[in-house]
Amino acid sequence: MGDEYLLDTPTVRDFIRDVRGAIADAASPAAACDAIRPRFAELLADPDWLPAEFQEPNPDSGMGGGIGQWLLFRGADRELTLFALIVPPGSATPIHDHLAWGLVGLYRGTQDEEIYNERVERIEQRALVPGDFYVLLPPRDDIHRVRTTSAETSVSIHLLTNDTGCVWRHAYDEASGEAAAFRSGYVNVDCDD
Ligand SMILES: [Fe+2]
């Protein structure tokens, strides 16, 4: 299968082209993230590019709480994805990892993000407003949980260097710190197996 544009618009195609250029030219994931920052900020600031149909919650969510993960773009090699994560008011994700580097930013609503270390101890908590974004460079800051704090659904945009919805990763029990195999899936695309 080739590149998949689930949301096939000039905005998404131009963004992915620029991201691929930045990755190709960068000496490291950290340098690539730095180079992508301005374009990612631009995407978060553009109110018009993400259709309402990609901002709908998912009652059958693999993450619970009506959380929807909408795939927007997936590269042929499955090493780059762009997706929207929809978290209804009051809902929270499980504590989870991503197993890939990339950028995550808030597009709509507000969220609290709690960050955990590898022993599943909470090491940081931050409040996010639209336009805020952060870099994931595993193992640093790879384990977290987000909770919507606004009365409206929150929408965050993820640019990650794996097929995040379909890879098997981990969800963690806060009390015991135990990891369980976790696959979040996408609302609009089935995983292969
Ligand atoms: Fe996450």
Side-chain angles (χ1 to χ4, degrees):
M1 183 155 335
D3 286 345
E4 298 165 82
Y5 287 90
L6 292 303
L7 176 56
D8 194 354
T9 63
T11 300
V12 173
R13 284 191 176 259
D14 290 353
F15 177 74
I16 294 300
R17 182 202 59 218
D18 292 351
V19 163
R20 282 178 157 163
I23 293 173
D25 291 344
S28 67
C33 289
D34 275 347
I36 293 164
R37 275 174 175 277
R39 287 293 278 118
F40 198 67
E42 222 177 285
L43 194 66
L44 293 176
D46 176 349
D48 297 322
W49 68 277
L50 187 64
E53 62 186 279
F54 292 95
Q55 302 186 41
E56 290 292 323
N58 172 25
D60 304 320
S61 174
M63 270 179 279
I67 295 170
Q69 185 169 340
W70 291 88
L71 186 63
L72 307 173
F73 165 82
R74 181 165 63 184
D77 57 8
R78 305 279 169 104
E79 285 176 7
L80 187 65
T81 53
L82 180 70
F83 60 88
L85 188 78
I86 314 304
V87 183
S91 284
T93 65
I95 300 170
H96 63 272
D97 60 11
H98 309 81
L99 307 180
W101 62 266
L103 296 103
V104 182
L106 196 59
Y107 187 60
R108 253 185 65 193
T110 58
Q111 291 181 345
D112 262 357
E113 185 199 15
E114 296 167 291
I115 301 146
Y116 294 80
N117 63 18
E118 277 146 274
R119 294 190 301 280
V120 198
E121 298 158 342
R122 193 172 67 180
I123 50 171
E124 200 186 328
Q125 178 165 17
R126 50 194 178 192
L128 304 173
V129 299
D132 286 347
F133 64 92
Y134 46 94
V135 166
L136 296 179
L137 286 168
R140 204 196 72 199
D141 292 351
D142 194 37
I143 302 176
H144 75 166
R145 165 164 64 193
V146 299
R147 182 188 313 277
T148 294
T149 51
S150 49
E152 67 166 333
T153 292
S154 73
V155 176
S156 53
I157 305 301
H158 298 239
L159 176 75
L160 290 174
T161 51
N162 67 357
D163 187 6
T164 316
C166 289
V167 297
W168 283 97
R169 44 198 175 115
H170 307 93
Y172 299 87
D173 183 81
E174 185 167 29
S176 67
E178 237 166 79
F182 165 66
R183 184 157 80 166
S184 55
Y186 299 109
V187 185
N188 54 336
V189 174
D190 289 329
C191 295
D192 286 337
D193 44 279

